[in-house]
Amino acid sequence: MTDQLPLQIRSRRSHHKSRAGCQNCKKRRVKCDEKKPQCTKCVRHSIECDFASPASSASPDPTRRFRFRPSKYQSGSRTSSPSAHTEAASTSTSTAVQCDLAGSGLSGGISFADLKLYHHFVTSTYKTLADETMDRNRIWSHHVPHWGISFPSIMHLILALSALHQGHEDPASRTQSIAQADDHFTFGVRSVSAVLCLLNAENCQRIYMSAALICLVYFGRGPRRGEYLVFSDTGRSEWLVLLHGVHSILSQNRGRIFTGVLEPIPDDSIGGVSDELQVELDEHLQRIRHVQAYIMSHVMDETSRTIFDAAIKDLLSAFEEVYKIRSAGKDGICLMHLLIGWVYRLPMEMIALLEQKDRYALILFGYWSILLVYMRSSWLMQGWDAHVLHGVRTSLAEEDQTWLAWPIQVIGSTN
């Protein structure tokens, strides 16, 4: 119809841009619903909204006092006694010289329980993460704790690692420590995931260290039923996913990561294998070569043969390097790069064979588990050797069990 009115063009709904949102939402660059006394997003993320403290909107005073948040791990907060609850409420808020971590994303400050974990890390835990004589750049004692103040993923992850270490040293508090570690680990992983898309030259070292800390926390948490580092009862392993995260970060930024304070320092104390340990090493190498002959005589596919041959040669080299370091009187955490390095270099085809419970791949992985024995002096790695070997044994057919006789003997005799 010619007299029909033209269609109306929908105009954009008018809106009002508010600048009255809370400081937390502004820092995160998200829209604040401005609900008071606490906005919805702060409640959802369990952080203290500055709407609850109107004075916080004023210009920061460098001499102001800082209020610590009460922690759910404080014993007083768990009591059901009304009088005890009143007492806890009166003591859960304390003041100290300003030391809040507002710039780190730990909005609302740091609880007493978390402050205790931070102190434990900078006084004790860091010593267990590297050979102090070789940490000349003070990576763990200085730079990582300092980075944590401005990089929330690192802060959460060092607190998680500290909690696990504290639980290891004090078994009576292990349940509580694990609960703390799990909470911080969750926030740490989320934080890393959020910044991965922003990876650049300025933050690549911090993101890499966050990824490395995630792997360390995984080890420190202890073996998990059905998870055997490279494979699991259901196929893909959780730790391998984490390791691949490290791999993806390194593949694009290796040159920018391993520079400055993270530049590797050669250890001049490492020489050859001592005469005493050479006999032991030769026994290992002979057993692995025996397995090598067995695998290469049964694997007919040329591509698979190449993959197995490279992995076996790399394992032989790893054993030799481990024994050089052991000959210098070092073990435990000093061997981490060699053990993880072998898994790190495995091609995806070999990983797939392990996930599929391929008999030859499992036997080879069983021999790699021997190296975990020499990491027992590190609290992070205790129990992993027997656990990984158990996973290999339960995944291997009965007729192939004889090929694990040597790993079983080594790991069993050193328990």
Side-chain angles (χ1 to χ4, degrees), residues 140-169:
W140 292 105
S141 63
H142 175 74
H143 292 287
V144 169
H146 181 70
W147 289 345
I149 294 175
S150 59
F151 210 72
S153 57
I154 289 181
M155 176 58 74
H156 281 299
L157 292 166
I158 65 176
L159 294 183
L161 201 57
S162 177
L164 293 173
H165 184 228
Q166 205 167 58
H168 171 77
E169 292 189 327

Side-chain angles (χ1 to χ4, degrees), residues 193-210:
S193 302
V195 299
L196 273 176
C197 61
L198 305 175
L199 186 66
N200 56 42
E202 294 182 359
N203 63 21
C204 62
Q205 286 188 323
R206 289 162 175 76
I207 292 179
Y208 165 74
M209 192 56 69
S210 299

Side-chain angles (χ1 to χ4, degrees), residues 152-340:
S153 57
I154 289 181
M155 176 58 74
H156 281 299
L157 292 166
I158 65 176
L159 294 183
L161 201 57
S162 177
L164 293 173
H165 184 228
Q166 205 167 58
H168 171 77
E169 292 189 327
D170 180 19
S173 67
R174 180 164 173 76
T175 300
Q176 175 178 302
S177 296
I178 287 178
Q180 289 177 283
D182 288 348
D183 281 350
H184 282 296
F185 183 74
T186 299
F187 281 109
V189 171
R190 286 178 183 173
S191 181
V192 174
S193 302
V195 299
L196 273 176
C197 61
L198 305 175
L199 186 66
N200 56 42
E202 294 182 359
N203 63 21
C204 62
Q205 286 188 323
R206 289 162 175 76
I207 292 179
Y208 165 74
M209 192 56 69
S210 299
L213 280 164
I214 288 175
C215 291
L216 292 178
V217 172
Y218 185 91
F219 281 125
R221 186 63 165 75
R224 294 160 173 78
R225 180 179 296 180
E227 289 275 338
Y228 307 107
L229 294 183
V230 182
F231 67 96
S232 72
D233 287 344
T234 56
R236 198 117 199 244
S237 81
E238 183 182 355
W239 179 77
L240 193 63
V241 174
L242 301 176
L243 186 64
H244 283 167
V246 177
H247 190 286
S248 65
I249 295 169
L250 281 177
S251 63
Q252 304 174 36
N253 300 274
R254 180 178 292 273
R256 294 187 294 187
I257 290 173
F258 295 116
T259 186
V261 297
L262 294 186
E263 184 174 359
I265 300 176
D267 189 345
D268 297 331
S269 68
I270 306 299
V273 180
S274 65
D275 293 339
E276 180 183 357
L277 291 179
Q278 186 65 55
V279 176
E280 190 177 304
L281 173 61
D282 288 342
E283 181 71 18
H284 287 313
L285 300 182
Q286 181 181 349
R287 301 276 184 169
I288 295 173
R289 291 189 179 107
H290 185 45
V291 169
Q292 181 181 28
Y294 168 69
I295 292 176
M296 299 307 288
S297 65
H298 286 75
V299 176
M300 297 293 107
D301 178 71
E302 194 59 38
T303 301
S304 298
R305 286 173 61 86
T306 301
I307 292 171
F308 273 106
D309 185 58
I312 293 170
K313 288 179 179 176
D314 197 18
L315 184 60
L316 290 167
S317 177
F319 266 87
E320 291 177 344
E321 293 302 315
V322 164
Y323 270 77
K324 288 178 182 178
I325 294 177
R326 291 187 65 209
S327 296
K330 302 179 180 182
D331 56 14
I333 201 69
C334 299
L335 306 177
M336 180 72 82
H337 66 289
L338 294 172
L339 273 76
I340 304 307

Side-chain angles (χ1 to χ4, degrees), residues 12-28:
R12 183 180 178 187
R13 183 185 300 174
S14 62
H15 68 283
H16 174 66
K17 184 173 182 180
S18 171
R19 299 183 183 276
C22 77
Q23 294 300 315
N24 293 331
C25 290
K26 288 180 180 178
K27 288 174 186 174
R28 296 172 57 228

Side-chain angles (χ1 to χ4, degrees), residues 342-362:
W342 184 78
V343 177
Y344 181 88
R345 290 186 293 273
L346 286 178
M348 292 306 300
E349 293 84 354
M350 178 64 79
I351 298 296
L353 289 174
L354 284 166
E355 292 173 345
Q356 297 161 14
K357 311 297 191 300
D358 175 83
R359 63 197 299 189
Y360 308 115
L362 286 172

Side-chain angles (χ1 to χ4, degrees), residues 373 376 385-386 408 410-415:
V373 170
R376 285 181 184 172
D385 51 351
I408 292 171
V410 174
I411 292 175
S413 65
T414 51
N415 272 330

